[in-house]
Amino acid sequence: MTTKELADLMFPDITKTIEDYEKEYPERPEGTVVTRYAPSPTGFMHIGNFYSVVCDYVIAKRSNGVFFLRNEDTDQAREVEGAVEYIMHVLDHYEFHPDEYEIKGGETKGSYGPYIQSERKDIYKAFIKYLIAEGKAYPCFMTQEEMDVIRENQSKAKVRIGIYGKFAKSRNLTPDEAAEKIKAGEQYTVRLKSEGNFNNKFKFNDLANGEMDLHENDIDTIIYKSSTELPTYHFAHLVDDHLMRTTHVIRGQEWMSSIPTHYELFKTFGFKMPKYVHTPLILKKDGDKIRKISKRLDPEARMTYYEEKGYPIYAVIEAIMTIANSNYEAWREGHPDAPFTDFEFSAKKMSPSGALFDLDKLDNISKNYISRLTKDQVFDFLNTWTKEYDEEFNAVINKDVDYTKAILNIEREQKKPRKDYSCWSDVKNSIWYMYNDLYKPESYAWGKINDLNEIKDILDKYINNFYNESDDKEAWFNHVKELTESLDGYTSDMKAYKENPDNYKGNVADVSTVIRVALTSKDQTPDLYEIMKLLGKEEIVKRINSL
Ligand code: GLU
């Protein structure tokens, strides 16, 4: 029996050849940059995955290229329900709409599909069949127990672990011997008949990590399993990224060690390898240490965190771009309104040793961004977020939309807007006291003046003699100053106060703190004049009387 006959015996129904598929999936127009996000639906999205997606998107979009989504569901035992839907949701949320994708049992876009690996069985088999026929791969009948023994012995003898050279027991079976086992119904895997020599090195250029000298692969890697009729990741990557005409494979650092295998696979078929970008690990500061961000320890490792907190997508993307390319921030300063895809992204500028992700930095980016939004934009974002995450607050802000917008507009839409929110979940904490429905102070943050009798006395004087609902800001402040002057031992002259603080019981700022805390229970709020204007006389008097 020849290897060709063995291939026919193993895959009798596979009639299409590699040439047929080459025709079916022709090269894309010259120069098209093609990137893909290829998640396995075995878990939820990590910030490291998101980092790769941002790179995929920006690299494709900068050159009007193609960004597609491929569902790598070959490990069906580990599939997690809802994972695919969640991935689609994240892409949608961040507006990284793939140009090509497929939803199981639903919509497909693009002509290089199927985009779900479990639907590509026949394609993979055609490629496996070719290798068997050429004698470049072989069926392997080793059992798990046999492989465990080999591994144990290798480990004892301190030799390299793996099925290579003399350890590859099925490698030298004749086609007849292999055929006999297959006919007897034995399960098998298909292994690459490696021609590599571990002692030889080859040069490999990763766009982020630079040029490297790597050992050739000599492992007879498993590329297909008869039990599932599916290929392993290595083989699926080769077939899919070749036929889908991917130009840039952007994936996590953990795949770097597979390069020798992938290099040999591409060489075996004579296919051009795509360019590779192995993205750095995402690091975080933990006290004075820097360590890898961890799904277990750090809630911010999961992409759900940012949506639950209500970070604007702009801020999250900016934070990633800032760590992905060190010159991004400077570019952003010069181009405050440009879409991030205008930035000349360069994989070469990534730091291969790790990317330090800092939540404070994200908060800063986000505060700046939110401060520049109009009250209408802030309201819309807040409305959308609260609908999902805080129904009670959603009802409150919608009771009187104009009132809410007026609150959101305090110290906004002006030259130096207030920067107090980094995410939508911050808002309630900062404005709840503006709503009568929510105003139930548990404690008051009195400052220097904290004797309740004295406080009541100051407030009585204020309401009866100095407060005038129709004051403009200047008149309002003059009235607070006059109130201060009327109190024994207080001054509105800050200069005099600073020179001799011991001569006074307090100053105009302490008196306005009393008013602020009496009305809001907080000692830090946005502009008090604006707050009082919105609360109105009736509510002001009510709050003061309830002390
Ligand atoms: N399915 C692989 C993963 O989720 C894809 C790696 C790649 O992008 O090639 O890690």
Side-chain angles (χ1 to χ4, degrees):
M1 182 181 260
T2 61
T3 47
K4 166 100 184 38
E5 284 158 347
L6 176 63
D8 285 333
L9 173 80
M10 289 166 73
F11 299 102
D13 304 330
I14 299 300
T15 50
K16 277 199 193 173
T17 63
I18 295 180
E19 289 70 42
D20 295 330
Y21 286 116
E22 295 286 1
K23 280 192 205 119
E24 206 170 316
Y25 303 108
E27 296 275 358
R28 300 191 189 239
E30 174 92 34
T32 312
V33 169
V34 183
T35 65
R36 86 298 191 274
Y37 177 42
S40 303
T42 51
F44 280 57
M45 208 196 268
H46 184 273
I47 183 94
N49 303 130
F50 186 73
Y51 180 110
S52 296
V53 174
V54 174
C55 299
D56 278 323
Y57 189 79
V58 74
I59 289 177
K61 292 299 143 183
R62 247 203 77 67
S63 53
N64 287 320
V66 174
F67 163 62
F68 72 84
L69 175 70
R70 182 170 69 228
N71 178 350
E72 303 215 324
D73 63 343
T74 54
D75 193 352
Q76 299 192 321
R78 285 178 53 222
E79 192 156 333
V80 169
E81 215 188 299
V84 177
E85 288 73 12
Y86 180 69
I87 288 159
M88 290 300 288
H89 163 81
V90 173
L91 295 184
D92 198 50
H93 180 73
Y94 288 93
E95 295 169 9
F96 294 152
H97 306 300
D99 301 297
E100 300 172 10
Y101 63 91
E102 178 179 347
I103 295 173
K104 220 173 227 162
E107 183 189 341
T108 301
K109 207 174 144 215
S111 43
Y112 286 80
Y115 296 93
I116 300 178
Q117 287 186 333
S118 58
E119 293 175 10
R120 300 173 62 78
K121 280 184 175 169
D122 283 357
I123 305 178
Y124 302 127
K125 285 182 190 170
F127 281 68
I128 296 280
K129 185 172 183 178
Y130 163 83
L131 286 188
I132 298 274
E134 292 290 307
K136 294 180 173 176
Y138 62 90
C140 169
F141 302 93
M142 263 197 267
T143 61
Q144 191 57 51
E145 291 70 37
E146 280 176 283
M147 287 189 285
D148 289 346
V149 171
I150 292 175
R151 168 179 274 273
E152 213 170 288
N153 291 339
Q154 286 173 331
S155 154
K156 267 191 215 138
K158 296 201 166 48
V159 298
R160 221 158 22 91
I161 306 284
I163 303 302
Y164 56 91
K166 65 176 184 204
F167 303 108
K169 289 200 184 146
S170 296
R171 186 180 166 111
N172 297 321
L173 291 178
T174 63
D176 286 297
E177 286 165 336
E180 213 169 291
K181 287 177 182 287
I182 289 170
K183 281 188 205 146
E186 270 189 54
Q187 287 287 10
Y188 61 88
T189 58
V190 173
R191 286 183 186 271
L192 174 73
K193 200 170 202 171
S194 175
E195 287 174 11
N197 177 348
F198 187 75
N199 297 320
N200 290 345
K201 287 201 165 175
F202 68 98
K203 286 211 183 305
F204 180 77
N205 192 13
D206 177 282
L207 293 189
N209 297 263
E211 195 174 76
M212 286 169 266
D213 283 319
L214 301 174
H215 289 280
E216 278 182 12
N217 172 64
D218 67 348
I219 307 262
D220 284 0
T221 310
I222 297 181
I223 53 180
Y224 175 87
K225 295 178 179 171
S226 69
S227 56
T228 55
E229 296 183 70
L230 282 166
T232 55
Y233 165 72
H234 306 296
F235 199 74
H237 156 50
L238 160 98
V239 173
D240 294 348
D241 284 320
H242 175 68
L243 290 182
M244 294 178 180
R245 312 297 176 185
T246 305
T247 58
H248 293 67
V249 169
I250 300 159
R251 61 184 182 187
Q253 196 63 228
E254 67 275 18
W255 293 110
M256 192 67 225
S257 56
S258 302
I259 281 293
T261 310
H262 298 173
Y263 182 82
E264 185 175 12
L265 282 171
F266 276 91
K267 210 167 80 179
T268 304
F269 281 96
F271 296 156
K272 183 168 180 265
M273 265 187 124
K275 295 191 166 80
Y276 286 82
V277 179
H278 287 93
T279 54
L281 289 176
I282 309 288
L283 309 174
K284 75 170 274 176
K285 266 211 194 97
D286 186 354
D288 43 11
K289 273 197 322 240
I290 288 183
R291 63 164 172 82
K292 195 177 142 191
I293 211 163
S294 136
K295 240 187 204 174
R296 200 171 46 82
L297 299 175
D298 310 309
E300 74 269 27
R302 293 169 185 264
M303 288 314 289
T304 42
Y305 175 83
Y306 305 93
E307 268 190 77
E308 281 164 13
K309 284 276 215 178
Y311 280 101
I313 63 170
Y314 174 90
V316 180
I317 296 170
E318 285 291 296
I320 295 292
M321 288 296 285
T322 303
I323 58 168
N325 263 196
S326 51
N327 56 333
Y328 183 75
E329 249 180 307
W331 174 83
R332 176 50 89 201
E333 267 171 39
H335 305 80
D337 301 317
F340 73 99
T341 44
D342 278 3
F343 171 69
E344 209 157 309
F345 186 87
S346 161
K348 291 194 183 79
K349 294 212 171 79
M350 278 182 183
S351 138
S353 57
L356 187 62
F357 184 71
D358 179 357
L359 279 181
D360 291 339
K361 179 92 195 171
L362 169 66
D363 281 346
N364 267 331
I365 294 173
S366 199
K367 278 183 182 161
N368 275 317
Y369 167 72
I370 294 177
S371 77
R372 293 198 310 269
L373 299 176
T374 64
K375 62 175 184 310
D376 291 342
Q377 289 171 315
V378 174
F379 180 82
D380 289 346
F381 276 125
L382 183 66
N383 191 27
T384 309
W385 184 83
T386 51
K387 229 179 245 162
E388 176 87 20
Y389 294 100
D390 189 347
E391 273 180 53
E392 187 207 26
F393 193 45
N394 184 259
V396 170
I397 63 169
N398 276 291
K399 214 161 156 184
D400 181 348
V401 171
D402 289 339
Y403 180 69
T404 298
K405 285 186 179 174
I407 299 169
L408 296 173
N409 208 30
I410 298 178
E411 295 182 66
R412 178 175 301 284
E413 299 188 18
Q414 62 186 34
K415 203 148 174 237
K416 281 207 166 155
R418 193 179 165 90
K419 299 178 180 175
D420 42 7
Y421 312 136
S422 58
C423 50
W424 308 120
S425 56
D426 284 349
V427 178
K428 187 186 194 174
N429 238 342
S430 149
I431 65 169
W432 60 277
Y433 53 81
M434 295 303 290
Y435 297 97
N436 302 349
D437 288 350
L438 299 180
Y439 190 68
K440 282 179 203 74
E442 281 164 6
S443 63
Y444 288 87
W446 301 115
K448 194 151 74 189
I449 310 171
N450 53 21
D451 175 80
L452 202 57
N453 287 328
E454 190 180 358
I455 287 168
K456 282 187 176 165
D457 188 48
I458 294 173
L459 293 168
D460 268 355
K461 278 205 177 115
Y462 178 55
I463 290 297
N464 296 324
N465 308 331
F466 297 98
Y467 172 64
N468 181 349
E469 204 181 359
S470 53
D471 276 350
D472 65 11
K473 191 162 181 178
E474 204 186 328
W476 170 85
F477 190 51
N478 284 333
H479 272 138
V480 178
K481 279 189 188 161
E482 285 167 29
L483 163 71
T484 310
E485 288 301 330
S486 78
L487 301 168
D488 253 3
Y490 287 84
T491 181
S492 62
D493 182 345
M494 289 307 282
K495 200 166 159 258
Y497 178 81
K498 274 185 193 143
E499 277 165 13
N500 289 303
D502 296 341
N503 291 355
Y504 301 98
K505 277 169 82 181
N507 61 41
V508 65
D510 302 318
V511 173
S512 32
T513 297
V514 166
I515 305 172
R516 184 188 310 275
V517 179
L519 299 181
T520 66
S521 77
K522 292 163 63 116
D523 58 353
Q524 302 279 335
T525 69
D527 189 83
L528 182 56
Y529 167 76
E530 301 277 348
I531 287 177
M532 290 177 66
K533 264 244 144 351
L534 288 172
L535 285 178
K537 184 165 186 179
E538 194 184 325
E539 184 64 19
I540 289 175
V541 171
K542 202 170 113 201
R543 291 189 185 187
I544 286 178
N545 287 341
S546 73
L547 281 174

